[in-house]
Amino acid sequence: MTSSAKYIFVTGGVTSSLGKGIISASLGMLLQARGFTVTIQKFDPYINIDPGTLNPYEHGECYVTDDGAETDLDLGHYERFLNIRTSQANNITTGRIYNNVITKERKGEFLGKTVQVIPHITDEIKRNIYLLGESGKYDFIITEIGGSVGDIESLPFVEAVRQVRWDLGSNHSLVIHLTLIPYLKAAGELKTKPTQHSVKKLLEEGVQPDILVCRTEMPLPMDIRKKVGLFCNVQLNSVIEAIDADTIYDVPLLMRKEKLDERVLSKLKVHAKNEPDLEQWKDFLGKLKNPTDEIKIGLVGKYVSLPDAYKSIAEAFIHAGAENDAKVDLKWISSEEITKDTVKDVLGGLHGVLVAPGFGERGLEGKIAAIQYVRENKIPFLGICLGMQCAVVEFTRHVLGLDASSTELDPKTKYPVIDMMAEQKKITTKGGTMRLGSYDCKIKKGSKAAAIYGETLIHERHRHRYEFNNKYLEQIEEAGLKATGVNPDSGLVEIVELKDHPWFVGVQFHPELKSTVLNPHPLFVRFIEAALNNKKLNS
Ligand code: GLN
């Protein structure tokens, strides 16, 4: 290792869903606020090469980076908290590690050796740990290890962490273990035993945590902190309380109060240049917590029973709401609930409607009915990816009077206004084969999109196979649905907007992926503004 980057590992124990991603992102943000450069990576112990093929019901949203990697949704938190860009190097799975090792083996690169978990798999894990550090761009690399300590799958990762600690020593690496201190109502007590066991497990695997971050519903009294510290060989001031927060955006400030960043710097022997500058973050929190108005937005989608499936959209609304000093009350609506007969009841009273991205046919007619309703009733509308495609189908059906569809939903449709590109048709495998990552989009001057973005060349991220079929472009534009954003290289339509409607915009890309606390996405900000105007008009 030639670089001077410091490596921080975040492991988890006792249960999943303790919020390792948020703790990692909060720590990263605090270090960054002191003027350090930071990136965060996540190692996921499952065998899929990436989460792109996972059902959102199982794993939540698939987050796409600029370079077209399909990644875990925690990378979204990293980008939103740190206002940085991540890439494929920031998310590695067991599947990718094995794939790399097996590819090397087939090339004969192991020179006749027996290929084994230790050292070959752990070496490949370590190579990926060091990759970002070796770029020389970062002072700190935070590596979140997915899963819980004690899982069979995470063993090689914990072993790699043990080796990195040995290779680099304690001035250059550090382990934070996130654990749970449950409150037993019947006993009226906080219980430390699960934490003790989980640290014992980590010790069995050769890793002594330097800092314990303890999730808890109640404040941790001194005697509990002392007990945990004593049983787990962790200094008292390194037992950090992570109390349940109202919003994930409170967590950096809570970690600051508990001095997590100071403990990290002191253990890594890094001289803190400055106190963290948290002014902008606090401004955002102030607006988030003191809204002067409230609006109801409908999110129409297929996976609404698991809000994690639309994580970035929900967060983008939080950023955009705060920017407008408004609380966004998101109504999660299953598109299967919507028919021509129910649409008025379901959507009436909403100030804006977003039709979400998605795959497959289920609930499609509901999305189309929703779009017809908001188009005819002049309710602000934002369609994302499948949502935009549905808007094109709806418009062609009800304004042009053609029985149109997308070939994803009806391969035999007479009017395929949304269709697969020729090169996509040749692809037979599913993983990593969509149109993925950042593409340029040229915006027409004078359009609503130009006013929203304030510029005419933008870059947005994609994840889809189907496209607006340019064969119908002229006809659709003439009828009033304008293509105001187009990819300059391929001519593919990226943005459509309706004339004679207060705010009706469909985008083929995923703006939600680029919304951050410090840079709320303009499409969401303006959509909320339009919804607020709609509310004023109708009250
Ligand atoms: N299913 C559509 C496609 O593949 C839309 C995808 C999406 O909404 N992300 O083109």
Side-chain angles (χ1 to χ4, degrees), residues 404-407 410 413-419 467 469 471-472:
S405 196
S406 154
T407 50
D410 178 4
T413 177
K414 250 177 96 184
Y415 300 98
V417 286
I418 303 292
D419 197 7
E467 307 282 352
N469 185 345
K471 207 173 120 194
Y472 297 94

Side-chain angles (χ1 to χ4, degrees), residues 102-372:
I102 291 169
T103 307
K104 266 197 198 163
E105 186 275 334
R106 291 289 82 185
K107 286 193 195 153
E109 289 183 19
F110 293 108
L111 307 173
K113 287 253 178 303
T114 308
V115 182
Q116 295 180 299
V117 174
I118 301 172
H120 302 103
I121 293 297
T122 45
D123 278 354
E124 179 61 15
I125 295 174
K126 286 198 310 187
R127 190 181 71 78
N128 280 282
I129 290 175
Y130 293 135
L131 211 59
L132 286 164
E134 281 164 358
S135 71
K137 288 197 268 184
Y138 304 105
D139 299 318
F140 293 96
I141 317 290
I142 301 177
T143 303
E144 179 190 344
I145 308 289
S148 301
V149 166
D151 295 350
I152 290 178
E153 293 96 337
S154 60
L155 259 175
F157 292 101
V158 178
E159 167 60 16
V161 171
R162 187 194 66 76
Q163 293 182 19
V164 169
R165 300 275 284 142
W166 181 248
D167 293 343
L168 298 185
S170 56
N171 288 354
H172 293 279
S173 65
L174 173 123
V175 174
I176 299 175
H177 188 57
L178 179 60
T179 160
L180 176 71
I181 310 254
Y183 179 74
L184 279 198
K185 234 197 241 143
E189 276 178 24
L190 287 161
K191 291 294 184 190
T192 64
K193 194 77 85 189
T195 294
Q196 295 177 38
H197 281 300
S198 131
V199 172
K200 289 260 148 58
K201 193 77 215 161
L202 201 52
L203 284 168
E204 247 172 60
E205 294 175 15
V207 174
Q208 165 68 52
D210 302 283
I211 295 176
L212 287 177
V213 174
C214 307
R215 272 300 294 273
T216 170
E217 288 171 58
M218 305 273 178
L220 288 187
M222 193 48 81
D223 60 328
I224 294 280
R225 292 185 192 233
K226 278 188 183 154
K227 191 168 169 186
V228 170
L230 180 66
F231 282 116
C232 302
N233 325 318
V234 171
Q235 288 167 334
L236 182 59
N237 61 7
S238 299
V239 178
I240 303 281
E241 165 193 293
I243 199 156
D244 291 354
D246 294 341
T247 140
I248 54 171
Y249 298 106
D250 277 332
V251 178
L253 300 188
L254 293 173
M255 289 303 107
R256 172 81 192 112
K257 224 165 98 196
E258 284 284 305
K259 301 191 166 53
L260 175 63
D261 54 333
E262 277 175 41
R263 296 310 305 149
V264 165
L265 292 173
S266 114
K267 283 187 177 293
L268 288 171
K269 309 270 185 299
V270 176
H271 176 66
K273 301 181 206 163
N274 311 304
E275 288 293 295
D277 175 3
L278 300 171
E279 281 321 299
Q280 274 180 296
W281 193 274
K282 285 184 185 159
D283 273 359
F284 159 76
L285 268 183
K287 284 169 154 234
L288 181 64
K289 296 198 167 183
N290 303 292
T292 53
D293 208 341
E294 176 166 357
I295 41 164
K296 288 198 213 86
I297 301 286
L299 189 157
V300 176
K302 175 166 138 182
Y303 314 106
V304 288
S305 56
L306 181 77
D308 266 4
Y310 302 113
K311 190 87 207 158
S312 294
I313 292 179
E315 300 305 322
F317 273 127
I318 292 176
H319 309 155
E323 185 72 10
N324 281 288
D325 294 305
K327 176 172 178 347
V328 177
D329 180 9
L330 259 194
K331 303 275 177 219
W332 302 81
I333 302 165
S334 162
S335 42
E336 287 176 286
E337 255 178 64
I338 306 176
T339 63
K340 273 201 167 338
D341 300 329
T342 63
V343 67
K344 198 163 174 239
D345 289 339
V346 181
L347 302 186
L350 295 176
H351 305 113
V353 170
L354 179 142
V355 175
F359 294 84
E361 199 194 333
R362 192 155 54 83
L364 187 92
E365 293 304 325
K367 289 183 181 170
I368 291 183
I371 295 170
Q372 181 175 14

Side-chain angles (χ1 to χ4, degrees), residues 63-70 434-440 459-464 487 494 508-510 513-514:
Y63 188 80
V64 180
T65 54
D66 275 342
D67 64 345
E70 295 182 286
M434 283 187 248
R435 182 176 170 217
L436 286 167
S438 184
Y439 283 86
D440 292 351
H459 321 276
E460 292 280 9
R461 300 182 196 168
H462 292 248
R463 183 173 189 252
H464 55 102
N487 178 287
E494 311 282 39
Q508 184 58 79
F509 46 78
H510 290 267
L513 302 176
K514 284 178 77 171

Side-chain angles (χ1 to χ4, degrees), residues 347 353 370-379 381 501:
L347 302 186
V353 170
I371 295 170
Q372 181 175 14
Y373 180 81
V374 296
R375 181 175 56 76
E376 292 176 351
N377 290 283
K378 308 250 183 264
I379 297 167
F381 163 76
H501 189 287

Side-chain angles (χ1 to χ4, degrees), residues 25 46 48 57 222 298 367 427 470 484 507 530:
Y46 49 74
N48 305 61
Y57 272 133
M222 193 48 81
K367 289 183 181 170
I427 297 171
N470 277 331
T484 55
V507 291

Side-chain angles (χ1 to χ4, degrees), residues 357-360 384-386 389 408 434 463-466 508 510:
F359 294 84
I384 297 184
C385 209
L386 181 64
Q389 297 174 354
E408 178 180 14
M434 283 187 248
R463 183 173 189 252
H464 55 102
R465 290 183 205 284
Y466 294 82
Q508 184 58 79
H510 290 267

